[in-house]
Amino acid sequence: MQIDTPNTVDSSASLPEVKKKKGGRNWLSWLIALCLLGGIGYGVYYQVTVVSRQEARRRVLTRPVERQSLTITVSANGTVKPERSINLSPKNSGILKTLLVKEGDLVKQGQIVAYMDDSNLRGQLTSAQGQLAQAEANLQKAIAGNRPQDIAQAQGVLDEAEANLQKVQAGNRSQDIAQAQARLQSAQASLRQAEDDFVRNQQLYNAGGISLQTLNQNRATRDSAQASVNEVQQALGLQKAGSRPEDIEQARAVVKQRQQALALLKAGTRQEDINAARAQVTSARGSLQNIQAEINDTVIRAPFDGVVTKKFADPGAFVTPTTASSEVASSSSSSILSLASTNLEILTMAAETLWSNKLRTGLTMLGVIIGISSVIAITSVGQGVQKGVEQQIQALGTDVIQILAGAARSGNVRQGVGSSSTLTWEDAKAIATQAPSAQIVSAYLQRSAQVVYAGQNTSTTIYGTDLNYPEVRNTHPQQGRYFTQEELDIAAQLAILGPTVQTTLFGKGVNPIGERIRIQGEAYEVIGVMEPKGAQGPMDRDDQIFIPLTTMSKRLVGNNALVGVSVSGILVKGANQEQLEAAQFQVTNLLRLRHNIYPPQADDFRLTNQADIVSTFTSIVGLFTVMVVAIAGISLVVGGIGIANIMLVSVVERTREIGIRKAVGATNSAILNQFLAEAIVISIVGGGIGMTTGVLLAFVAANIFKFPFVISLLSIIAGFVLSLTVGLLAGVIPARNASKLDPITALRSD
């Protein structure tokens, strides 16, 4: 309305003049004018529509509203019963000491409702604590050994027994006989007095002066005196005759027994005594724990939230596990029984919801499946490869040091290890005699050669060895035999084949013993076939032939050393892996002395420790496995993000459903559990499929690449825990968002 027609007409009328002055400016003017018109029009529209709507909404929102209660009426037929009713009773019979609740009281889960009398148990606890302290003291004494005073006491007893033995062996002294004679005279005098008294009392009895009872007492006194005389006479006879042999033997037995007791005390407590003391401590500790558990059982707690509906006993009454102290009935839907039913219903609904969206559920599970299967498969493959290599290296012997000859140089070009003739058979013999940590030493000479038999030929590795080679390399003939010392001395033309050479030349299952093969044109008799050892990297350890070292040196290689027999390497086996470092040190110094090598000169040989190879390879494979598993773990993160994304979308799609469920009484915890259960079901099912897939992939890889199939229980448990954790973490935020939705807003959503 502010732009009138005359102005527009005037503007258009001046266009030809403008066009004459400068071309193209008329179009720019029209564009500016149109922009101004559009801006003014939008401002009018915004003022009329948007602002007016906001003002109207503001007036509606600020209008006072009267709050009223919302009443929902529910009608149902049947009997209302508590969801769970339980009679609380003690675990052990006893007297009810205190009852803390009464009928109608509300109780919470874990609340103490009653105490049983535990005075008797407290006494037993004190006694058990004392027994445990005594048992522990006995154990400490047994471990510490016997005290010096115990040893001194035992020494005194032994000295007494030895003195008694000497006395018995020496016989009785004259003063002992005199003492025995004096005792005899005293006993005889007592006997004469008793006989005189008996004669006199007998006369009195005949005259009626005393009773028969008095006479019998006098007769008994006389008989006792007579027995004493007889005993003393017998002892005097023994004293005069000297000690009997059986007395001497008995005294010797006592001395021996005392000596053994003293030796045990000096040696300390026996192991069986310590074990017995430990058993007493364990028994006393178990008794104490049982009593403490019974004391804890005297406290009665409510197993869930509820209300006390009835009281069965008063304080002071004797109750048993079958006589209840109070009954607790659940007054809400959060009881144990209802929780179990609700959880089952939640899982069922979650499974139905996921099944109704199969494609979405499958794509959501894919990230978890890939991640879990990758973790399990890669872990299994890494452990299998590691175990396979360890088995191959252990077959060669992990307690073996390999000494290789140095590398020859041609100008400035350094050739491979073993190309120089720096080691000799005499070096090996010197190591065997002068290195204390070297248990077995073997020298070998290695060359490649063409082997022919009846039209079949193959290129293989020939090893010239001594008699110690099978023991050092832990490889022995499975058919036939190895050559002897005599055959080694005379350079006999004998050969022991590896399984691969046997199969190549003779065919599978053919016995080659006694046949003749040709090595570089010379005939050799086959006397054995070595046991299979498999491949070690690119090298087939079964594609080998073993001949005497002397034969190899004289007929195939020649004596190419200035002194002695040149060898390619020396194998040194220690008593155990702990002695390898000592053996390596001794061998290095010995060879330096024999080869006249002094600092700063470089060694003309190289030592390789098999144990170091195993350790290095194990660490490399372990690091590689950890790295690949970490990369595979990214798939789990991606899978968790996918689950969270799908669950967030599901919350948006099911907003109206959430509103309806809340309107009919569903709590926030029920909604939270529903969506959390869906996320957990996705992760657990995906994790199960991933674990199965990972095991199958590891099994297929182990069979294809020929390494041990290894599945650790730890990887399975880790896969399950990872899948469950991913589900929980990915489902918490969507489930929480769903539980926080306002029911009215949710019902109004489309």
PDB file of all heavy atoms in Angstrom, residues 623-640:
ATOM      1  N   LEU A 623      51.263 -59.730  20.090  1.00  0.00           N
ATOM      2  CA  LEU A 623      51.005 -58.336  19.726  1.00  0.00           C
ATOM      3  C   LEU A 623      50.135 -58.231  18.487  1.00  0.00           C
ATOM      4  O   LEU A 623      49.227 -57.392  18.406  1.00  0.00           O
ATOM      5  CB  LEU A 623      52.339 -57.612  19.494  1.00  0.00           C
ATOM      6  CG  LEU A 623      53.212 -57.384  20.739  1.00  0.00           C
ATOM      7  CD1 LEU A 623      54.548 -56.775  20.342  1.00  0.00           C
ATOM      8  CD2 LEU A 623      52.501 -56.486  21.732  1.00  0.00           C
ATOM      9  N   PHE A 624      50.390 -59.111  17.511  1.00  0.00           N
ATOM     10  CA  PHE A 624      49.578 -59.084  16.298  1.00  0.00           C
ATOM     11  C   PHE A 624      48.122 -59.434  16.612  1.00  0.00           C
ATOM     12  O   PHE A 624      47.190 -58.806  16.093  1.00  0.00           O
ATOM     13  CB  PHE A 624      50.154 -60.080  15.286  1.00  0.00           C
ATOM     14  CG  PHE A 624      49.350 -60.192  14.020  1.00  0.00           C
ATOM     15  CD1 PHE A 624      49.406 -59.217  13.045  1.00  0.00           C
ATOM     16  CD2 PHE A 624      48.520 -61.283  13.813  1.00  0.00           C
ATOM     17  CE1 PHE A 624      48.658 -59.321  11.888  1.00  0.00           C
ATOM     18  CE2 PHE A 624      47.763 -61.402  12.658  1.00  0.00           C
ATOM     19  CZ  PHE A 624      47.835 -60.409  11.687  1.00  0.00           C
ATOM     20  N   THR A 625      47.925 -60.432  17.474  1.00  0.00           N
ATOM     21  CA  THR A 625      46.563 -60.827  17.835  1.00  0.00           C
ATOM     22  C   THR A 625      45.850 -59.697  18.552  1.00  0.00           C
ATOM     23  O   THR A 625      44.679 -59.399  18.278  1.00  0.00           O
ATOM     24  CB  THR A 625      46.605 -62.083  18.720  1.00  0.00           C
ATOM     25  OG1 THR A 625      47.289 -63.133  18.025  1.00  0.00           O
ATOM     26  CG2 THR A 625      45.193 -62.534  19.072  1.00  0.00           C
ATOM     27  N   VAL A 626      46.546 -59.045  19.496  1.00  0.00           N
ATOM     28  CA  VAL A 626      45.928 -57.935  20.219  1.00  0.00           C
ATOM     29  C   VAL A 626      45.563 -56.810  19.264  1.00  0.00           C
ATOM     30  O   VAL A 626      44.481 -56.209  19.361  1.00  0.00           O
ATOM     31  CB  VAL A 626      46.884 -57.432  21.319  1.00  0.00           C
ATOM     32  CG1 VAL A 626      46.369 -56.136  21.929  1.00  0.00           C
ATOM     33  CG2 VAL A 626      47.048 -58.482  22.398  1.00  0.00           C
ATOM     34  N   MET A 627      46.442 -56.526  18.305  1.00  0.00           N
ATOM     35  CA  MET A 627      46.177 -55.446  17.364  1.00  0.00           C
ATOM     36  C   MET A 627      44.945 -55.752  16.507  1.00  0.00           C
ATOM     37  O   MET A 627      44.050 -54.915  16.356  1.00  0.00           O
ATOM     38  CB  MET A 627      47.399 -55.230  16.468  1.00  0.00           C
ATOM     39  CG  MET A 627      47.218 -54.125  15.430  1.00  0.00           C
ATOM     40  SD  MET A 627      48.596 -54.061  14.269  1.00  0.00           S
ATOM     41  CE  MET A 627      48.377 -55.626  13.414  1.00  0.00           C
ATOM     42  N   VAL A 628      44.874 -56.990  15.980  1.00  0.00           N
ATOM     43  CA  VAL A 628      43.750 -57.332  15.111  1.00  0.00           C
ATOM     44  C   VAL A 628      42.455 -57.397  15.910  1.00  0.00           C
ATOM     45  O   VAL A 628      41.384 -57.000  15.437  1.00  0.00           O
ATOM     46  CB  VAL A 628      44.029 -58.667  14.388  1.00  0.00           C
ATOM     47  CG1 VAL A 628      42.855 -59.047  13.502  1.00  0.00           C
ATOM     48  CG2 VAL A 628      45.293 -58.552  13.547  1.00  0.00           C
ATOM     49  N   VAL A 629      42.524 -57.911  17.161  1.00  0.00           N
ATOM     50  CA  VAL A 629      41.324 -57.960  18.000  1.00  0.00           C
ATOM     51  C   VAL A 629      40.850 -56.537  18.305  1.00  0.00           C
ATOM     52  O   VAL A 629      39.642 -56.270  18.329  1.00  0.00           O
ATOM     53  CB  VAL A 629      41.621 -58.737  19.294  1.00  0.00           C
ATOM     54  CG1 VAL A 629      40.497 -58.547  20.299  1.00  0.00           C
ATOM     55  CG2 VAL A 629      41.783 -60.216  18.992  1.00  0.00           C
ATOM     56  N   ALA A 630      41.799 -55.621  18.528  1.00  0.00           N
ATOM     57  CA  ALA A 630      41.408 -54.235  18.770  1.00  0.00           C
ATOM     58  C   ALA A 630      40.710 -53.643  17.550  1.00  0.00           C
ATOM     59  O   ALA A 630      39.723 -52.904  17.678  1.00  0.00           O
ATOM     60  CB  ALA A 630      42.642 -53.409  19.139  1.00  0.00           C
ATOM     61  N   ILE A 631      41.237 -53.987  16.356  1.00  0.00           N
ATOM     62  CA  ILE A 631      40.572 -53.503  15.134  1.00  0.00           C
ATOM     63  C   ILE A 631      39.185 -54.111  15.010  1.00  0.00           C
ATOM     64  O   ILE A 631      38.207 -53.434  14.650  1.00  0.00           O
ATOM     65  CB  ILE A 631      41.434 -53.842  13.903  1.00  0.00           C
ATOM     66  CG1 ILE A 631      42.769 -53.074  13.970  1.00  0.00           C
ATOM     67  CG2 ILE A 631      40.693 -53.512  12.619  1.00  0.00           C
ATOM     68  CD1 ILE A 631      43.740 -53.456  12.882  1.00  0.00           C
ATOM     69  N   ALA A 632      39.077 -55.421  15.326  1.00  0.00           N
ATOM     70  CA  ALA A 632      37.764 -56.071  15.260  1.00  0.00           C
ATOM     71  C   ALA A 632      36.806 -55.475  16.279  1.00  0.00           C
ATOM     72  O   ALA A 632      35.588 -55.474  16.079  1.00  0.00           O
ATOM     73  CB  ALA A 632      37.912 -57.576  15.494  1.00  0.00           C
ATOM     74  N   GLY A 633      37.367 -54.970  17.410  1.00  0.00           N
ATOM     75  CA  GLY A 633      36.498 -54.352  18.407  1.00  0.00           C
ATOM     76  C   GLY A 633      35.791 -53.114  17.879  1.00  0.00           C
ATOM     77  O   GLY A 633      34.750 -52.721  18.417  1.00  0.00           O
ATOM     78  N   ILE A 634      36.366 -52.494  16.827  1.00  0.00           N
ATOM     79  CA  ILE A 634      35.687 -51.337  16.234  1.00  0.00           C
ATOM     80  C   ILE A 634      34.327 -51.761  15.677  1.00  0.00           C
ATOM     81  O   ILE A 634      33.356 -50.989  15.707  1.00  0.00           O
ATOM     82  CB  ILE A 634      36.577 -50.716  15.144  1.00  0.00           C
ATOM     83  CG1 ILE A 634      37.893 -50.228  15.754  1.00  0.00           C
ATOM     84  CG2 ILE A 634      35.868 -49.583  14.432  1.00  0.00           C
ATOM     85  CD1 ILE A 634      38.885 -49.693  14.743  1.00  0.00           C
ATOM     86  N   SER A 635      34.254 -53.001  15.166  1.00  0.00           N
ATOM     87  CA  SER A 635      32.969 -53.494  14.661  1.00  0.00           C
ATOM     88  C   SER A 635      31.933 -53.548  15.772  1.00  0.00           C
ATOM     89  O   SER A 635      30.743 -53.287  15.553  1.00  0.00           O
ATOM     90  CB  SER A 635      33.154 -54.881  14.039  1.00  0.00           C
ATOM     91  OG  SER A 635      34.060 -54.837  12.973  1.00  0.00           O
ATOM     92  N   LEU A 636      32.381 -53.884  16.979  1.00  0.00           N
ATOM     93  CA  LEU A 636      31.444 -53.892  18.105  1.00  0.00           C
ATOM     94  C   LEU A 636      30.937 -52.481  18.399  1.00  0.00           C
ATOM     95  O   LEU A 636      29.751 -52.293  18.700  1.00  0.00           O
ATOM     96  CB  LEU A 636      32.128 -54.479  19.340  1.00  0.00           C
ATOM     97  CG  LEU A 636      32.371 -55.988  19.330  1.00  0.00           C
ATOM     98  CD1 LEU A 636      33.152 -56.398  20.560  1.00  0.00           C
ATOM     99  CD2 LEU A 636      31.056 -56.741  19.275  1.00  0.00           C
ATOM    100  N   VAL A 637      31.837 -51.510  18.318  1.00  0.00           N
ATOM    101  CA  VAL A 637      31.406 -50.130  18.542  1.00  0.00           C
ATOM    102  C   VAL A 637      30.397 -49.709  17.475  1.00  0.00           C
ATOM    103  O   VAL A 637      29.364 -49.088  17.772  1.00  0.00           O
ATOM    104  CB  VAL A 637      32.625 -49.192  18.553  1.00  0.00           C
ATOM    105  CG1 VAL A 637      32.184 -47.740  18.718  1.00  0.00           C
ATOM    106  CG2 VAL A 637      33.585 -49.582  19.663  1.00  0.00           C
ATOM    107  N   VAL A 638      30.711 -50.070  16.231  1.00  0.00           N
ATOM    108  CA  VAL A 638      29.774 -49.751  15.140  1.00  0.00           C
ATOM    109  C   VAL A 638      28.440 -50.453  15.359  1.00  0.00           C
ATOM    110  O   VAL A 638      27.363 -49.880  15.159  1.00  0.00           O
ATOM    111  CB  VAL A 638      30.391 -50.147  13.787  1.00  0.00           C
ATOM    112  CG1 VAL A 638      29.386 -49.942  12.658  1.00  0.00           C
ATOM    113  CG2 VAL A 638      31.649 -49.331  13.524  1.00  0.00           C
ATOM    114  N   GLY A 639      28.516 -51.730  15.793  1.00  0.00           N
ATOM    115  CA  GLY A 639      27.278 -52.455  16.064  1.00  0.00           C
ATOM    116  C   GLY A 639      26.490 -51.815  17.187  1.00  0.00           C
ATOM    117  O   GLY A 639      25.254 -51.732  17.129  1.00  0.00           O
ATOM    118  N   GLY A 640      27.179 -51.351  18.233  1.00  0.00           N
ATOM    119  CA  GLY A 640      26.479 -50.673  19.321  1.00  0.00           C
ATOM    120  C   GLY A 640      25.819 -49.389  18.864  1.00  0.00           C
ATOM    121  O   GLY A 640      24.697 -49.070  19.264  1.00  0.00           O
TER     122      GLY A 640
END
